Structures are given as C-alpha cells and as structure tokens.
Amino acid sequence: MTRRFKVGDHVGWNSEAGRVSGRILAVHTRPLRWKGYLHHASEDEPQYEIASDRSDHIALHKGSALHLIPL
C-alpha cells in the first residue's frame, strides 16, 4: 500500500527537471479534470495537489510518486 499524505505535508518527487519539493494543498479522492486531463483519483488511490517550494507551479501526483521530507 502507498503511504497516505495529508494537507500540509512537505513532500518531494522526481520530475523531468530533477528533484522537486512542495507542500500538499489538497487531497483529491474523486475523479477530477486537471489542466485538460481526467485524473482517476479515488479513496484507495488519492491524488495530491502540491504547491512547489521554488515556483508558483501547482502539481497533481499520485502518492506512489511522492516521498515525505522530514522537518
């Protein structure tokens, strides 16, 4: 099972540009349209809305792509 995250958690992930980090703004547990695409979020596999630490970019990722960054 993938780790569950909550709003406010500081997480990191790998992107095409390298390692990125940010804070979780919202947890989506129902399918949603995001930037023109349908994301299949569910209670069992939520998608996390994350604000980047370095820019104003907002990303959406599955929990399997994320790791918690300890304080």
Side-chain angles (χ1 to χ4, degrees), residues 18-38:
R19 295 183 186 268
V20 183
S21 63
R23 294 234 178 249
I24 295 180
L25 300 175
V27 180
H28 299 279
T29 56
R30 302 170 103 191
L32 72 146
R33 290 220 174 265
W34 181 266
K35 298 184 180 180
Y37 295 95
L38 178 62

Side-chain angles (χ1 to χ4, degrees), residues 1 5 7 14 16-17 20-21 28 30 34 38 40 42 46 49 53 56 60-63 66 68 70-71:
M1 182 170 151
F5 300 97
V7 171
N14 292 324
E16 301 85 24
V20 183
S21 63
H28 299 279
R30 302 170 103 191
W34 181 266
L38 178 62
H40 300 283
S42 68
E49 189 173 334
D53 287 340
D56 60 353
L60 194 68
H61 290 292
K62 291 183 178 181
L66 305 174
L68 189 64
L71 296 174

